[in-house]
Amino acid sequence: MLKAIVITEQPVSASVPAGYSLTLRCRAEACTSLRYQWFSQLQSACCQITGATEPDLLITARETQLYICRINDLQRNFTFSNWVKVEVHQRIARDLLPELWQGEPVIVINPTVLEVKVGKELQLQCAALGIPAPHYQWYHNGKPMEDQKKKKLLINSAKVSDSGTYLCCAANSHGEHWTNAVDVHIGTCWPDTFFATDKVALLVGNNHYQNHPNLMAPITDVFELSLLLKKLGFRVVSLLDLNKVEMMIAVNQFLQLLGKGVYAIFYYAGHGYEHSGRNYMVPIDAPQPYAPENCISVQRILHKMQQRQTALNLILLDTCRKWYNPQCALSQVQPLEPWGNTVYGYATSEDAEAYEVQDGEFSSGIFMKYLKKHILQEKKVTHMLEDVLEDIGRDPLVTGKQVMEIKHTLKEARALTDPIYPTGLTAVLWGHSCELLRETVTFPCGIQVELRFREVFSNVMHVSAKLQAPPPHIADVRLLLCRPAEMQDLAVLRGSQSDQVESLLTSLSEHEELDCVLRLCGLQKVQEASKPTSSSYPKDGSMVPAAQKGLASLEVESGSSSQCSSQSNTCSEPEENDESDLSSLCSALLRASPGQNCS
């Protein structure tokens, strides 16, 4: 019995510019010699290509056509290859293709910005060159659209929820390439005023230094600013007392949340300095004296913020601007792009100091004292800062000592109160905010304790315990909250700082008598000693249940004392700090919503 003709290599479709020469290949096997014949189809007409009787067909692409190859043996058996399409793109710039193009995808048509009314058809289109012809996958707000895998995206009846950022990935065996992202608004009309695609703020307050005088105001200023920014719709990450590595990681994670159209705020309170127009933040582990390599450059951060195509970058520096070490060389910083979206708010002028003031039971910076008075105003952000500047200038405590300074390139009247039309990827990256828990722990002896968790800052958690009514056979109960094993080495807020946190908490809620209180700080240092399970971490990656493990123990007296502990397991000791672990933790902290109340 003769062996059937078996095609071992099928021709592949291609997407090429007009005038490009390429070869279609077909290979087959059989017991006898084989003959090949190529055919082409243009529109509805299919015709044999004269002289195309070889396994390879060399063509110069002029217009889009379909091709197929017939293979027959000497016994008049035959089979056909798959149809392939050679798509030809006209008027493609010659320099668009790389000099040594190997067939990897090259985008030639990007989708364009659209405004579509509700219920109308939404169409987006892209195209790419490639051999083999690329396949396509559309994404909406960072998520793949299962039913949109062609060059043209089509939604027959658009809904408001279809608003957002769209982009497409073109891929073949040589690689992948992405189109530009495009914002689509579904509604009756575009908003008449300026708007943000999202609002994100990173607030850092360094209070307790290893080699420099400690500060009092940053802990209060960061806390109060975070509350005000949340009222304006900002996603806020607030962190206290970071060393250099932790500051760099926090900034990098912050940058990942920024995107096209986002309003971004970076606020720093702590020791700092300025040298030849360049500003540096001093981490808590900086030596004495410090040099630029021990500190964090603000200009480098702003340069990276600009690369994220933000609509507004607001830098607020509540630091001194004096420089005490003239022998040190400046760090290298690339010049900023003139995009007209940057605002600097300096707490003080060049070569001057910024002052703290005792405001009731709180210590606060002079700058924050007046910033919190005006920041909720519905006016251009530079005009709002001018109001702050004028108020500071009228304060007799700092007359002749501290004058605020504003620098900006803001070309549009954008305000922090502008509405949010979420068309970017920030919400996807941020994840679901974590609602801090109230959880009741039941001990084997029958006693129940309600644990409550509140994040005062993104890396400072307040844990309290309330003893529920004990069973009748329990005569005396003493409740203790203990640090979990993985948190034994975390920093502890010093006396004055602890008092400030307590005052801040009291200012937020009505006083309630609690049986036990534990404060966990420096949470950015927590390591994962082993892969988390569903019982130790929630799906949204928040830190709360990890903090619960091993927290509660109590002593019970019923004629005699007995020890009773929670049934939860205690985590093993963490390994040494490294940047990857810290980065993973910061990601979890970013996905939590700091400062939420457990009520």
Side-chain angles (χ1 to χ4, degrees):
M1 184 175 180
L2 293 177
K3 181 181 178 182
I5 301 172
V6 178
I7 296 179
T8 57
E9 182 179 354
Q10 294 278 3
V12 297
S13 296
S15 178
V16 297
Y20 187 84
S21 297
L22 71 154
T23 299
L24 299 179
R25 295 168 51 87
C26 183
R27 297 290 187 274
E29 294 179 350
C31 293
T32 66
S33 58
L34 298 174
R35 296 178 180 176
Y36 296 81
Q37 178 61 58
W38 288 89
F39 297 82
S40 67
Q41 179 174 330
L42 178 62
Q43 296 179 352
S44 59
C46 183
C47 59
Q48 180 174 301
I49 303 175
T50 303
T53 58
E54 299 295 330
D56 293 346
L57 174 65
L58 177 63
I59 61 174
T60 299
R62 302 296 180 190
E63 53 187 336
T64 299
Q65 295 191 57
L66 299 176
Y67 294 87
I68 193 170
C69 185
R70 184 188 67 202
I71 308 102
N72 60 274
D73 60 16
L74 299 180
Q75 305 299 321
R76 296 187 176 181
N77 298 310
F78 66 90
T79 189
F80 286 91
S81 71
N82 296 334
W83 282 99
V84 295
K85 181 179 183 179
V86 177
E87 183 178 16
V88 180
H89 297 270
Q90 308 294 336
R91 296 182 295 278
I92 299 298
R94 294 184 178 181
D95 59 352
L96 187 62
L97 282 181
E99 185 175 351
L100 299 175
W101 187 47
Q102 300 297 314
E104 66 274 12
V106 177
I107 301 295
V108 293
I109 298 177
N110 278 291
T112 56
V113 177
L114 282 180
E115 176 190 356
V116 179
K117 292 184 177 181
V118 173
K120 298 297 183 180
E121 183 179 82
L122 167 61
Q123 282 193 33
L124 295 173
Q125 189 165 355
C126 70
L129 307 177
I131 306 174
H135 57 269
Y136 298 87
Q137 175 63 65
W138 285 90
Y139 288 77
H140 177 220
N141 290 340
K143 296 182 179 180
M145 305 176 71
E146 294 301 324
D147 56 344
Q148 301 291 346
K149 298 186 178 183
K150 298 181 180 179
K151 289 185 299 181
K152 181 182 291 187
L153 176 147
L154 178 62
I155 298 176
N156 291 318
S157 181
K159 305 182 295 295
V160 173
S161 60
D162 293 322
S163 296
T165 298
Y166 289 82
L167 72 165
C168 187
C169 177
N172 64 14
S173 56
H174 297 292
E176 64 180 30
H177 201 85
W178 294 77
T179 66
N180 295 336
V182 61
D183 293 331
V184 174
H185 177 75
I186 311 296
T188 55
C189 63
W190 283 95
D192 296 328
T193 59
F194 293 109
F195 67 94
T197 58
D198 218 314
K199 298 179 181 180
V200 183
L202 173 61
L203 317 180
V204 177
N206 282 346
N207 302 267
H208 187 255
Y209 282 83
Q210 298 173 12
N211 304 299
H212 303 278
N214 292 335
L215 301 172
M216 293 293 294
I219 190 170
T220 303
D221 292 347
V222 167
F223 182 81
E224 293 189 335
L225 182 58
S226 68
L227 297 181
L228 293 170
L229 291 178
K230 287 173 190 174
K231 291 182 179 180
L232 293 170
F234 277 84
R235 305 178 190 272
V236 181
V237 176
S238 58
L239 299 166
L240 291 184
D241 291 336
L242 303 183
N243 61 35
K244 184 181 179 183
V245 171
E246 292 164 356
M247 288 183 72
M248 293 174 64
I249 293 171
V251 168
N252 288 336
Q253 294 291 338
F254 166 65
L255 292 170
Q256 296 305 310
L257 292 171
L258 306 185
K260 187 176 180 180
V262 171
Y263 285 14
I265 294 179
F266 178 78
Y267 170 83
Y268 171 73
H271 285 305
Y273 68 91
E274 180 176 314
H275 185 28
S276 298
R278 299 180 186 175
N279 302 94
Y280 298 85
M281 301 174 292
V282 180
I284 63 169
D285 60 344
Q288 176 70 276
Y290 46 72
E293 59 267 24
N294 309 126
C295 303
I296 306 292
S297 167
V298 176
Q299 278 70 29
R300 285 185 177 177
I301 295 173
L302 180 56
H303 181 76
K304 293 179 180 179
M305 289 170 70
Q306 283 193 334
Q307 292 177 341
R308 306 297 294 182
Q309 296 184 301
T310 46
L312 173 65
N313 294 318
L314 175 58
I315 309 293
L316 299 173
L317 297 179
D318 200 352
T319 71
C320 297
R321 295 172 69 185
K322 277 184 172 291
W323 176 231
Y324 302 98
N325 197 354
Q327 285 75 34
C328 290
L330 290 169
S331 58
Q332 297 298 315
V333 180
Q334 291 181 298
L336 299 175
E337 298 291 340
W339 286 348
N341 66 345
T342 300
V343 180
Y344 275 101
Y346 297 95
T348 191
S349 54
E350 187 175 354
D351 199 34
E353 295 178 325
Y355 291 87
E356 298 181 346
V357 64
Q358 189 73 21
D359 187 6
E361 59 184 355
F362 301 119
S363 292
S364 177
I366 289 288
F367 177 55
M368 183 56 62
K369 176 181 177 181
Y370 295 106
L371 179 64
K372 64 186 181 184
K373 175 182 174 183
H374 295 286
I375 197 169
L376 300 180
Q377 292 180 357
E378 294 186 17
K379 57 172 61 178
K380 185 178 179 180
V381 62
T382 52
H383 296 168
M384 179 272 293
L385 290 175
E386 287 170 0
D387 292 341
V388 178
L389 183 153
E390 292 174 4
D391 276 359
I392 293 176
R394 289 190 288 264
D395 192 320
L397 290 176
V398 292
T399 300
K401 299 177 182 178
Q402 179 175 342
V403 178
M404 182 187 167
E405 184 175 349
I406 304 167
K407 295 181 181 179
H408 76 93
T409 61
L410 190 61
K411 63 184 181 182
E412 297 170 329
R414 294 187 180 271
L416 299 183
T417 55
D418 288 343
I420 299 174
Y421 290 85
T423 61
L425 303 179
T426 302
V428 176
L429 295 172
W430 182 272
H432 299 289
S433 63
C434 171
E435 294 184 3
L436 298 180
L437 302 178
R438 280 191 179 196
E439 180 168 316
T440 300
V441 178
T442 302
F443 291 84
C445 56
I447 288 179
Q448 291 187 327
V449 176
E450 183 184 50
L451 294 176
R452 306 177 187 181
F453 301 85
R454 171 185 285 168
E455 291 181 27
V456 191
F457 301 91
S458 298
N459 61 341
V460 177
M461 181 181 293
H462 184 272
V463 186
S464 59
K466 180 71 174 176
L467 186 66
Q468 306 300 299
H473 66 281
I474 303 295
D476 184 35
V477 180
R478 283 172 288 177
L479 178 63
L480 299 174
L481 283 176
C482 305
R483 287 173 175 265
E486 63 268 47
M487 298 185 179
Q488 290 298 329
D489 297 329
L490 295 186
V492 179
L493 291 177
R494 303 304 171 100
S496 58
Q497 291 179 313
S498 181
D499 292 342
Q500 279 186 284
V501 170
E502 194 63 44
S503 297
L504 295 173
L505 288 169
T506 303
S507 69
L508 278 183
S509 59
E510 296 181 1
H511 178 72
E512 180 181 359
E513 185 176 347
L514 299 169
D515 296 296
C516 202
V517 174
L518 176 66
R519 189 167 295 114
L520 303 173
C521 57
L523 292 177
Q524 76 277 3
K525 301 180 185 297
V526 176
Q527 309 293 304
E528 288 186 52
S530 60
K531 185 177 179 180
T533 63
S534 58
S535 62
S536 60
Y537 287 88
K539 292 182 180 179
D540 63 6
S542 74
M543 291 293 300
V544 176
Q548 294 174 41
K549 299 179 70 178
L551 279 177
S553 66
L554 63 110
E555 293 181 358
V556 185
E557 291 192 5
S558 171
S560 60
S561 295
S562 63
Q563 189 75 15
C564 178
S565 62
S566 170
Q567 298 179 26
S568 59
N569 297 324
T570 301
C571 291
S572 59
E573 288 293 329
E575 299 176 357
E576 291 294 320
N577 288 352
D578 62 46
E579 185 166 331
S580 61
D581 285 334
L582 284 169
S583 179
S584 176
L585 173 63
C586 282
S587 296
L589 290 175
L590 288 171
R591 288 192 293 271
S593 180
Q596 290 189 9
N597 191 353
C598 294
S599 56

